[in-house]
Amino acid sequence: MTNHETSEIMTALRKIVGERHVVTDPAELQVLGCDWTKIFFVDPLAAVFPASTGEVADVVKFCKEHGLGIVPSGGRTGLAGGAVAGNKEIVISLKRMTRIDPVDRVGLTIQCEAGATTQAVQEAASAAGLFFALDLAAKGSSHIGGNIATNAGGLKLIRYGGMREQVLGIEVVLPDGSILDMNSRLRKNNTGYDLKHLFIGSEGTLGIVTRATLRLMAKPRNVQLACIAVRNFSDITKILTIASMEGATITAFEFFTDVAHGIVLQHAQGARTPFQQRAPFYVILEVEDAVGGASVMEPLLEKLYENDVCIDAVIAQNSAQFKELWSLRENITESLSAHGHVRKNDISLPVDMLDPFIRELVDEVAKAPKDIEVVLFGHIGDGNLHINYVGPKSGDKKQFQEAARKVEERIFSLLPKYKGSISAEHGIGLLKKKDLKFSRSEAEINLMRGLKKIVDPAGIMNPGKIFD
Ligand code: FAD
Ligand code: 2HG
Ligand code: ZN
């Protein structure tokens, strides 16, 4: 592309979104063309910041007419290389589209533009006396549009489901620039194919989500939180079973290893361990109190001690302790990034397969190069295990990624045997394209490709993500 052509493109884009809302500065583009992974080549042509669905549609139409690739971009907290522009694409960021409409208290819904952050929607729901259930440590930055495009899972999936379960309707700008309005507030609508689900989890490859209607619910009754120190991994699934058998309404069931704990204590400001003695594993268990206010947590912990699956436990006594215990889990991702080079997996398994899988994983990890530390944590109550391979910051980033990739490949290849998935919640993006075969059959991948061709025949919408 000549300089003259580039400058004509910029003039046209500026006409659509306004002079100040097109970025071409190379240093800024390195940030805007990249997500949290920061391991892929970044080279967008420009980043644009439309203020309305109409402006998004006009930018997309322009890109289509000029054969320009598009990378939809939200809060850029993605962990799969989905919002990465490495081939002179136009990054379309929804950052200016943050409007949240007044809460519908009768139908329990909330409508917003796709650039609203997850936290802003949680807060709007809470201010209206209601509850928006998706929760993740990236909530301050991640956008509702990004949550929809990745079908985010998060910390409360075990109780409320993931993003798919929270979405009632969406508005999407298709790759030809037309606007598909599926932004219904209906709870029930059995009229043929429910097309919104095609776009949820499609990682920006089929269109740009511009608005959404989300489900709200009553705020959970008084929730109680405990951090439980555990001796063996197999005790974790035993705790889950006992809690369910005791009739606890579990709102979160997370775990992390002592290695993860140590890294958080080292890097997260103000973090301290709640235990006198460290243990190999910890569970974060959140439960709702029973109707009538009787405490569920204390009798449950007694049961865990009786069954010898718990070494020690701490119950949060006030909101400050509640936050402190949660932060031990929520700070893991940022602490790992501060600690060293990181490669991430977010696999999922049927919960009853976790124990045998972990035994094989330990054998594989023993074969890994000694300078790769394997850190385990995750939403274990729903079978989602986060495996992070961590190498020393002083080492070469590229060499580390290559070495970690070899371990990762061996671990992925174990998954079909356990009917597991290579991605529970982060998606495929650029990071796991080669590994899609471990989780999806050829027939499924062919159907996905066929659908992509129908919706985006020119292949301009987030090119090269999920599959080539
Ligand atoms: P981005 O990173 O900007 O984009 C992600 C993908 O969505 C890209 O493919 C992009 O092209 C596409 N996209 C973005 N906006 C749109 C749009 N409006 N229309 C169409 N496509 C779009 N994920 C979980 O599932 N569970 C967790 O618990 C969790 N915890 C996290 C904690 C931390 C500290 C971090 C850094 C990340 C975490 N993530 C988690 C990953 C990430 O936050 C989620 O994937 C999130 O949903 C991404 O939202 P985003 O707005 O940042 O999207
Ligand atoms: C979480 O559960 C996120 O905290 C991030 O999904 C996981 O850093 C990771 O690997
Ligand atoms: Zn997660």
Side-chain angles (χ1 to χ4, degrees):
M1 193 176 294
T2 63
N3 284 347
H4 178 67
E5 282 166 338
T6 307
S7 122
E8 282 199 332
I9 289 169
M10 297 314 145
T11 306
L13 291 173
R14 286 192 178 106
K15 249 193 202 142
I16 300 170
V17 297
E19 194 67 31
R20 289 186 300 124
H21 304 301
V22 176
V23 171
T24 54
D25 173 64
E28 282 185 68
L29 287 181
Q30 281 303 304
V31 178
L32 295 167
C34 186
D35 66 0
W36 183 275
T37 50
K38 297 180 185 72
I39 53 173
F40 297 102
F41 178 69
V42 176
D43 188 25
L45 190 63
V48 299
F49 298 84
S52 65
T53 301
E55 286 187 9
V56 174
D58 287 346
V59 173
V60 172
K61 263 182 220 150
F62 177 83
C63 290
K64 188 199 158 210
E65 277 157 22
H66 293 80
L68 294 166
I70 293 167
V71 174
S73 172
R76 300 197 316 275
T77 64
L79 297 171
V84 172
N87 200 16
K88 298 285 178 207
E89 300 93 335
I90 304 295
V91 173
I92 301 186
S93 166
L94 285 256
K95 206 176 148 193
R96 290 172 70 212
M97 294 177 57
T98 58
R99 196 188 141 87
I100 301 175
D101 292 349
V103 166
D104 158 19
R105 282 202 173 96
V106 180
L108 304 186
T109 66
I110 190 167
Q111 290 203 354
C112 66
E113 289 183 322
T117 64
T118 319
Q119 188 170 344
V121 170
Q122 285 179 347
E123 285 170 0
S126 178
L130 293 167
F131 180 67
F132 175 59
L134 188 87
D135 198 15
L136 66 176
K139 60 179 173 268
S141 307
S142 67
H143 292 185
I144 290 298
N147 297 153
I148 293 173
T150 56
N151 183 26
L155 303 163
K156 302 289 165 67
L157 182 140
I158 190 168
R159 169 80 169 110
Y160 306 106
M163 194 58 181
R164 197 178 289 283
E165 282 75 28
Q166 316 310 324
V167 177
L168 294 174
I170 50 173
E171 174 190 79
V172 181
V173 173
L174 294 174
D176 64 1
S178 61
I179 299 166
L180 188 60
D181 184 356
M182 303 172 283
N183 202 17
S184 160
R185 290 194 292 149
L186 296 173
R187 291 261 162 154
K188 302 176 88 177
N189 184 7
N190 265 356
T191 46
Y193 305 145
D194 195 345
L195 293 175
K196 67 174 179 289
H197 286 298
L198 188 57
F199 294 87
I200 302 171
S202 67
E203 301 185 44
T205 61
L206 298 178
I208 303 184
V209 180
T210 44
R211 285 185 68 78
T213 302
L214 307 167
R215 191 166 76 106
L216 300 180
M217 54 194 82
K219 279 188 183 169
R221 284 187 305 268
N222 183 25
V223 284
Q224 293 202 328
L225 184 69
C227 185
I228 305 169
V230 178
R231 198 175 298 112
N232 305 303
F233 183 84
S234 59
D235 290 337
I236 296 175
T237 40
K238 285 182 195 145
I239 293 174
L240 183 63
T241 309
I242 294 169
S244 303
M245 292 301 125
E246 290 298 303
T249 302
I250 301 170
T251 49
F253 193 97
E254 301 283 318
F255 99 110
F256 46 90
T257 58
D258 194 47
V259 179
H261 190 43
I263 291 173
V264 168
L265 297 179
Q266 197 180 332
H267 297 282
Q269 217 188 356
R272 55 197 175 107
T273 185
F275 298 108
Q276 304 271 337
Q277 282 206 325
R278 302 272 285 273
F281 303 96
Y282 306 92
V283 167
I284 291 280
L285 173 63
E286 197 188 80
V287 295
E288 252 180 74
D289 264 353
V291 182
S295 170
V296 171
M297 192 62 94
E298 279 171 27
L300 177 56
L301 290 180
E302 273 169 33
K303 265 268 160 347
L304 299 183
Y305 282 118
E306 265 171 38
N307 283 273
D308 196 27
V309 290
C310 153
I311 308 174
D312 198 358
V314 176
I315 302 179
Q317 300 298 334
N318 51 45
S319 62
Q321 281 177 12
F322 195 91
K323 268 197 192 141
E324 202 176 326
L325 289 188
W326 257 122
S327 70
L328 295 175
R329 166 67 183 88
E330 291 190 291
N331 278 327
I332 296 175
T333 301
E334 294 217 29
S335 301
L336 287 169
S337 290
H339 195 67
H341 300 309
V342 183
R343 190 171 180 97
K344 291 175 182 301
N345 291 171
D346 68 310
I347 63 170
S348 73
L349 293 138
V351 180
D352 64 346
M353 290 289 123
L354 284 166
D355 289 344
F357 175 80
I358 284 284
R359 281 197 287 275
E360 279 209 62
L361 179 91
V362 168
D363 292 344
E364 280 305 331
V365 167
K367 293 181 218 154
K370 292 294 159 259
D371 58 347
I372 297 184
E373 199 163 13
V374 176
V375 182
L376 303 179
F377 60 102
H379 319 286
I380 205 72
D382 56 57
N384 178 181
L385 178 65
H386 290 311
I387 307 172
N388 275 226
Y389 311 93
V390 188
K393 262 250 145 74
S394 54
D396 180 76
K397 188 171 169 180
K398 195 158 169 267
Q399 270 174 13
F400 160 76
Q401 286 295 334
E402 281 165 9
R405 167 67 188 159
K406 284 190 185 134
V407 189
E408 166 185 284
E409 260 178 331
R410 289 204 300 274
I411 287 170
F412 281 169
S413 68
L414 299 174
L415 288 169
K417 186 167 89 183
Y418 293 99
K419 305 273 181 267
S421 167
I422 57 159
S423 179
E425 54 175 16
H426 298 160
I428 301 299
L430 289 174
L431 192 65
K432 300 174 210 128
K433 278 201 288 191
K434 280 196 195 130
D435 307 307
L436 196 52
K437 61 176 185 293
F438 290 119
S439 293
R440 298 288 186 196
S441 67
E442 215 180 308
E444 283 176 296
I445 295 171
N446 285 340
L447 187 53
M448 287 191 216
R449 283 184 195 280
L451 290 167
K452 166 79 177 168
K453 269 210 178 109
I454 291 171
V455 182
D456 181 19
I460 59 165
M461 198 52 84
N462 217 1
K465 311 298 164 23
I466 305 181
F467 34 65
D468 286 317

